């Protein structure tokens, strides 16, 4: 009864946002090249993000699904189904991405995935389900912030191959649509504020550590000046108009007691780009 009352009317996703999977398939052949405008750093950055997704997204699905039975708000329950279905298609496409990438560039997928896999195995043995959910909520905030950056700033993907632009924009749209689902589940089950805050700090360290480790591995064979490559790359990530530029406010906001992912309402932009990409017709 308490669980029932706690989860009634818990969804705060705007009503014009529908969370439904699109059964997309992407041509990955361009992954054998520096597909982001011939730039090895930019290409490695997006490739390193992709490496994290299949394991990460399975973890998101499992940690949200664990609490399914506690959700009695029919709207949120439907959104949980939409969230897991969207993440399952992301997993499939990024698994295909990673296998194609590693086969064509001579990377070891096992080596790239190893630290995350090991950490995950340890966490599953030692941490409570609510900690897994709190980590998912934090990762979902990171993906929502990055998605917003990709959609808002076309220069993030300027010069990239159209097949990859399509894949990353599709993923960004769906991350934006379902950005509050794990959060609303966390609220519905009474997850604490301090755990949400702590997990964001830990997840932030993990996120940057995993990305840069894999970028270093992927850029090992680079022949030119590494200093110049990383200096240019850091500008792309943190410089004026860069991928991470302007995310500070959204990041700090997460630590506020009354924070909600839809406080930053980008639904109009998401709806606009969805129509522009004709993704509104692509629902599975
Ligand atoms: Fe995803
Ligand atoms: Fe997600």
């Amino acid at each position: 009864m308490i669980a029932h009352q706690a989860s009634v009317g818990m969804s705060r996703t705007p009503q014009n946002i529908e969370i439904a999977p699109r059964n997309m398939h992407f041509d990955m052949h361009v992954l054998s090249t520096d597909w982001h405008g011939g730039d090895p750093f930019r290409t490695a950055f997006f490739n390193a993000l992709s490496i994290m997704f299949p394991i990460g997204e399975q973890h998101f699905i499992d940690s949200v699904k664990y609490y399914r039975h506690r959700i009695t708000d029919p709207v949120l329950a439907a959104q949980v189904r939409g969230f897991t279905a969207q993440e399952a298609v992301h997993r499939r496409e990024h698994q295909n991405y990673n296998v194609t990438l590693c086969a064509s560039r001579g990377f070891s997928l096992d080596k790239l995935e190893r630290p995350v896999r090991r950490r995950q195995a340890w966490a599953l043995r030692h941490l409570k389900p609510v900690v897994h959910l709190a980590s998912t909520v934090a990762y979902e905030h990171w993906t929502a912030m990055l998605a917003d950056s990709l959609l808002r700033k076309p220069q993030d993907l300027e010069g990239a191959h159209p097949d990859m632009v399509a894949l990353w924009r599709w993923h960004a749209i769906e991350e934006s649509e379902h950005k509050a689902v794990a959060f609303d589940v966390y609220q519905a089950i009474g997850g604490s504020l301090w755990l949400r805050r702590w997990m964001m700090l830990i997840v932030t360290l993990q996120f940057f550590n995993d990305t840069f480790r894999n970028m270093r591995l992927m850029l090992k064979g680079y022949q030119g000046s590494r200093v110049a490559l990383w200096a240019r790359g850091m500008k792309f990530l943190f410089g004026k108009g860069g991928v991470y530029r302007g995310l500070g406010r959204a990041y700090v906001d997460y630590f506020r007691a009354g924070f909600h992912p839809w406080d930053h309402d980008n639904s109009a932009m998401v709806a606009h780009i969805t129509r522009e990409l004709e993704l509104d017709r692509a629902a599975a």
Side-chain angles (χ1 to χ4, degrees), residues 192-211:
S192 76
L193 177 60
W194 74 265
L195 179 61
R196 174 160 74 77
R197 286 173 171 159
W198 267 110
M199 285 314 292
M200 177 49 104
L201 294 175
I202 293 166
V203 157
T204 302
L205 287 175
Q206 284 174 359
F207 180 70
F208 280 98
N209 189 43
D210 293 338
T211 314

Side-chain angles (χ1 to χ4, degrees), residues 60 83 87 140 143 175 178:
F60 304 163
F83 165 83
E87 295 290 28
E140 284 288 285
T143 52
E175 288 306 319
H178 73 227

Side-chain angles (χ1 to χ4, degrees), residues 112-150:
L112 292 169
E113 285 184 334
R114 200 173 300 149
V116 180
R117 233 179 243 296
R118 281 192 182 152
R119 198 168 58 225
Q120 198 86 313
W122 180 88
L124 283 170
R125 273 200 309 276
H126 295 99
L127 303 177
K128 290 179 184 165
V130 71
V131 182
H132 291 285
L133 184 60
S135 121
T136 296
V137 174
Y139 271 114
E140 284 288 285
H141 188 55
W142 263 113
T143 52
M145 287 192 295
L146 279 174
D148 187 71
S149 170
L150 288 196

Side-chain angles (χ1 to χ4, degrees), residues 156-230:
D156 287 0
L157 286 165
E158 200 180 312
H161 190 282
D163 290 343
M164 288 293 110
V165 176
L167 179 145
W168 285 101
R169 294 189 102 194
W170 154 75
H171 198 159
I173 286 286
E174 295 198 347
E175 288 306 319
S176 307
E177 289 169 341
H178 73 227
K179 67 178 176 178
V181 176
F183 184 95
D184 287 340
V185 170
Y186 186 76
Q187 296 297 98
I189 64 141
S192 76
L193 177 60
W194 74 265
L195 179 61
R196 174 160 74 77
R197 286 173 171 159
W198 267 110
M199 285 314 292
M200 177 49 104
L201 294 175
I202 293 166
V203 157
T204 302
L205 287 175
Q206 284 174 359
F207 180 70
F208 280 98
N209 189 43
D210 293 338
T211 314
F212 285 118
R213 171 194 181 263
N214 284 344
M215 286 176 71
R216 274 200 313 275
L217 287 173
M218 288 177 188
L219 291 168
K220 235 176 179 172
Y222 181 67
Q223 300 295 321
S225 157
R226 268 159 204 285
V227 177
L229 178 78
W230 280 83

